[in-house]
Amino acid sequence: MFSINETHRFFAPQLDVPLRLLLGPGPSNAHPRVLQAIAMPQIGHLDPAFIQVMNDIQEMLRYAWQTDNPFTLPVSGTGSAAMEAAIANLVEPGDVVLIGVIGYFGERLVEMASRYGADVRRMDKPWGEVFTLDEISAGVETHRPTLLGLVHAETSTGALQPMDGVGDLCRAHDCLLLIDTVTSLGTTPIFLDEWGVDAAYSCSQKGLSCPPGASPFTLGERALAKLHGRRTKVANWYLDMSILSQYWDGKTRSYHHTAPINSMYAVREGLRLVVEEGLAERWARHQANAQRLWDGLTELDLACHVNDPAHRIPALTTVRVPAGIDARDTAVRLLNDYNIEIAGGFGPLAGKVWRIGLMGHNSRPENVTLLLAALKEILGR
Ligand code: PLP
């Protein structure tokens, strides 16, 4: 007989978390309706009522991304899981993969692609800048990749990569186009089909105003052809879309893994909010509140890190920290004295910028006013 070891029998106190206004790079606050949805009772992952939830999510995601792709679903896991799903399914060992690196999340794509055995080539830009179409074209001409990966909204720098012409370029070179829309979905204009994007992924905790945990993912026809024509098995079982699709595709509905039921309720409600508001209105709201923030920052004599407003992500602004100010100290005071979370920069931007998010439900004029007032007090301006 073994005796029970009581060493770790720790009586944790009842959960008590502070109410924060999350104005950093994510997560953003979940919409109250999303929190209500997530608290609904669980049903089984093969229950006809849950199948309806899945169908609803897929159709509303197609709207949010502006795509007709039948293969559109949320991956179980955070944005990085959806990112890894894209690489794991579309890259085979030895494939030449070209990644545009304009910040940290481009670096992460490079790292993932190399772990899946790709012959990774990279194009780099200083953090805060974006590629021109000519630069992308030169990269594709030089490296002749099977896949080009770009980060549409680079959350580490605040820069928004223009997508005009990139899809045509990729098609002309028989190359797949993969884009990261983690910070742009539900906040910034995206036209996946018009842009000729073959694969994309996102997250739930930013523009969709959900908790993290279920992350949108889509593959177009060309990407599916690559998946179905693979010489090798997808090296990640959990993220293998050729088997997961049998649960989502509407025909077999065969078990792959237990879907995170309540996270799917959340995504469904987050998407319902997008549909209700309408994409044009939602994108305009994010742009207007970003402009309100940028104008207020100018009044406080603070500058945006991304010079050209057309290349700024409306949902995520990087602000240069003035000389003599400790970036971290300001963020700590915002959190402790005002319950507002913002973030600092990292990598080459460590200590040099603050990152301010106005995402989904949090993109509201009163949040901008509050943050600017708090910054004004803290910085003594
Ligand atoms: N890609 C971008 C552009 C991101 O901003 C993030 C997270 O902030 C990710 C990928 C990874 O997402 P997650 O942290 O949800 O795994």
Side-chain angles (χ1 to χ4, degrees):
M1 270 300 274
F2 296 108
S3 60
I4 292 172
N5 179 344
E6 301 277 340
T7 318
H8 304 294
R9 193 173 181 191
F10 165 63
F11 288 91
Q14 190 175 359
L15 186 62
D16 181 21
V17 290
L19 275 179
R20 307 282 199 208
L21 178 58
L22 301 178
L23 300 185
S28 63
N29 295 90
H31 192 284
R33 266 173 50 188
V34 167
L35 293 176
Q36 262 178 359
I38 212 169
M40 299 283 277
Q42 264 158 267
I43 49 181
H45 64 280
L46 292 171
D47 188 310
F50 188 66
I51 304 287
Q52 187 57 50
V53 168
M54 294 163 72
N55 291 341
D56 295 347
I57 290 175
Q58 290 185 288
E59 189 57 357
M60 291 190 285
L61 255 185
R62 292 182 190 110
Y63 170 69
W65 253 330
Q66 290 292 285
T67 180
D68 294 330
N69 289 346
F71 196 109
T72 301
L73 51 82
V75 168
S76 307
T78 66
S80 305
M83 184 192 244
E84 184 145 359
I87 297 293
N89 285 271
L90 299 180
V91 172
E92 289 201 78
D95 282 357
V96 174
V97 166
L98 176 62
I99 307 291
V101 181
I102 57 173
Y104 173 76
F105 291 101
E107 290 285 355
R108 188 177 286 189
L109 276 171
V110 167
E111 174 64 21
M112 285 188 183
S114 70
R115 288 185 186 213
Y116 283 90
D119 173 358
V120 187
R121 316 287 173 87
R122 53 189 290 162
M123 312 182 276
D124 283 80
K125 275 280 175 179
W127 285 32
E129 294 181 22
V130 294
F131 294 105
T132 62
L133 184 57
D134 283 346
E135 288 167 335
I136 297 174
S137 175
V140 171
E141 293 279 348
T142 306
H143 299 289
R144 303 277 164 171
T146 57
L147 179 137
L148 168 68
L150 294 176
V151 178
H152 179 221
E154 184 41 90
T155 327
S156 62
T157 70
L160 185 70
Q161 174 63 52
M163 293 305 305
D164 283 345
V166 182
D168 288 343
L169 176 74
C170 287
R171 271 154 211 248
H173 289 83
D174 197 20
C175 160
L176 294 176
L177 174 59
L178 164 69
I179 66 168
D180 176 319
T181 66
V182 165
T183 295
S184 46
L185 182 67
T187 67
T188 311
I190 304 182
F191 294 95
L192 281 195
D193 287 359
E194 299 278 352
W195 291 351
V197 174
D198 300 295
Y201 56 86
S202 190
C203 75
S204 53
Q205 73 271 17
K206 300 187 201 243
L208 298 184
S209 302
C210 298
S215 302
F217 177 86
T218 188
L219 296 177
E221 260 172 41
R222 284 169 14 108
L224 283 172
K226 165 81 185 180
L227 173 61
H228 295 138
R230 287 180 66 101
R231 303 178 303 276
T232 54
K233 277 189 175 177
V234 173
N236 184 317
W237 182 87
Y238 195 74
L239 299 174
D240 184 343
M241 293 297 151
S242 62
I243 38 179
L244 183 62
S245 60
Q246 291 164 29
Y247 175 51
W248 280 89
D249 70 6
K251 290 176 218 124
T252 38
R253 297 285 179 201
S254 50
Y255 164 73
H256 177 262
H257 65 270
T258 310
I261 306 293
N262 297 51
S263 297
M264 296 297 175
Y265 296 165
V267 169
R268 182 181 182 279
E269 194 60 29
L271 286 166
R272 250 164 58 80
L273 287 158
V274 173
V275 170
E276 227 172 79
E277 183 172 8
L279 281 178
E281 292 75 7
R282 195 171 179 95
W283 295 337
R285 171 167 64 82
H286 280 83
Q287 189 65 42
N289 288 320
Q291 190 61 53
R292 187 182 283 260
L293 174 67
W294 301 337
D295 292 347
L297 290 169
T298 307
E299 277 171 29
L300 294 181
D301 212 14
L302 295 169
C304 288
H305 177 63
V306 178
N307 286 327
D308 184 347
H311 295 160
R312 293 181 195 154
I313 310 171
L316 195 279
T317 298
T318 37
V319 186
R320 293 209 179 114
V321 178
I325 301 285
D326 183 312
R328 200 180 129 65
D329 182 57
T330 308
V332 168
R333 285 189 59 193
L334 275 172
L335 190 73
N336 291 342
D337 300 347
Y338 301 84
N339 269 325
I340 300 174
E341 178 180 282
I342 66 164
F346 57 104
L349 296 180
K352 295 190 180 147
V353 297
W354 291 298
R355 292 182 301 147
I356 299 175
L358 293 170
M359 301 174 173
H361 177 54
N362 277 358
S363 173
R364 299 201 303 278
E366 64 266 34
N367 289 342
V368 178
T369 306
L370 184 64
L371 176 67
L372 288 170
L375 274 177
K376 187 174 176 185
E377 277 186 17
I378 293 173
L379 299 175
R381 304 213 157 196

